[in-house]
Amino acid sequence: MTKLEGKHVLLGISGSIAAYLSCDLARKLIKAGAQVQTVMTDAAKAFITPLTLQTLTGRPVIQGMFDEVKQWDVEHVGAAQWADVFVIAPATANVMAKLTWGLADDSLTAAFLAFDKGRVIAPAMNTVMYENPATRINEEILRERGCLIVEPQVGLLACGDVGKGKLAEIDDIVLYIEYALEREKPLKGRRVLVTAGPTVEDIDPVRYITNHSTGRMGYAVAYEAWLMGAEVTLISGPVELKALPVCRTIMVRSAGDMAEAVFREKDKADIIIKSAAVADYRPAVQSLEKIKKAEEGFSLDLTRTTDILAELGKEKKAGQVLVGFAAETQNLRENAKEKLEKKHIDLIAANDLTSPGSGFGTDTNQLLLLWQDGGSKELELMSKEEAAKELLLAANEIWRERND
């Protein structure tokens, strides 16, 4: 089940060349289980037809203020009561100005003015228009009123200019829609530091040692923390996952790089979640030249890397919560408990790599949570996003007990 399953999305489309991309957005939302109702300005119809959107969504498009709408049981402004979230993509400079100053001279702006839940605005326009002081002021006012602004990309625009003004990626707009739908923000005001992925330890310019971590669990933790209202810093090893634009991300390669980044950021965090699979060993000597193949066997001398989690446990500041992970293949509870106590962790999430659906590269995980005071909780097999949320709620409860 996705976060959009069964949700009602009101999709507003204004007169930008990027209007054609609203079709992709509508289709993606529907595929994720949402119901989508579109509302268009007259200018938008110059770029895309209502019939296209009606075919995609299965619902007549709301157009003129007083047009007759057939075969639909929610009237014009009543769409605001039906919807769980209102997204305007693309939003032109003109529409943003109207939204800022409360004008309601068409169906889109009237519905927006009547809407009191999560609102997402994705601007798309010429760079000079976007950077104009009037637009900048309007955007800031909309932010202050609780609207989520999905900033446009830098790229080649329809006018031939290259600059900021291109509609954000559809996947990024969806992220903000999911954020708007997450009503509860238990981590609001918290600063969360998350590590994710493997590290890569170079042997020579063409060879390295690493592990099977894909980073999915860590990225799920970072995303869920953001959805729950936290300010998130993600320190990631090399992964093949889509970047999380909603988090401040620091990419690293080796265990040494990871340690340097973590120690630089640790004191800024309220909650630290170490989900990265950091190499315990690295080559004692990294060759600057490719090591040539020899007839005899090859022996690689390894040396220990910095135990980041243990160092964090020693240097933990007052009120801070430290969460670790333990990926095991045997004696899950015993090994996790030993790591919890030895490294002075507040909470540890252990998983059995031999359990179906709980290893590296899966979309699911089954966690055993252990607390420093001896408490424990076994989670059932669930999506990594659901497991991440459970873990974050547990970590936040510890933080509240220490700081409230």
Side-chain angles (χ1 to χ4, degrees), residues 22-64:
S22 62
C23 297
D24 290 338
L25 177 57
R27 185 169 53 186
K28 178 152 286 194
L29 294 170
I30 292 167
K31 186 177 180 180
Q35 296 181 48
V36 178
Q37 173 61 54
T38 53
V39 52
M40 302 178 72
T41 64
D42 286 339
K45 290 185 283 185
F47 297 97
I48 183 173
T49 68
L51 179 59
T52 300
L53 291 164
Q54 179 175 324
T55 303
L56 285 172
T57 65
R59 292 173 175 270
V61 178
I62 303 175
Q63 302 177 50

Side-chain angles (χ1 to χ4, degrees), residues 203-204 207 285 291-301:
I203 299 171
D204 63 18
R207 303 180 182 92
V285 177
I291 299 171
K292 305 304 289 184
K293 182 167 60 177
E295 293 298 326
E296 63 275 11
F298 174 69
S299 178
L300 183 63
D301 186 20

Side-chain angles (χ1 to χ4, degrees), residues 132 290 360:
N132 187 286
K290 178 183 176 182
F360 291 123

Side-chain angles (χ1 to χ4, degrees), residues 220-270:
V221 171
Y223 178 52
E224 290 295 326
W226 174 73
L227 281 183
M228 295 164 73
E231 177 186 327
V232 183
T233 296
L234 171 64
I235 302 176
S236 173
V239 296
E240 296 183 0
L241 301 173
K242 181 176 172 57
L244 282 176
V246 296
C247 303
R248 173 174 170 251
T249 302
I250 302 170
M251 298 301 300
V252 298
R253 180 174 173 82
S254 68
D257 298 336
M258 178 77 76
E260 181 182 346
V262 169
F263 295 147
R264 185 176 63 245
E265 300 292 328
K266 66 181 179 64
D267 290 336
K268 305 172 189 175
D270 299 308

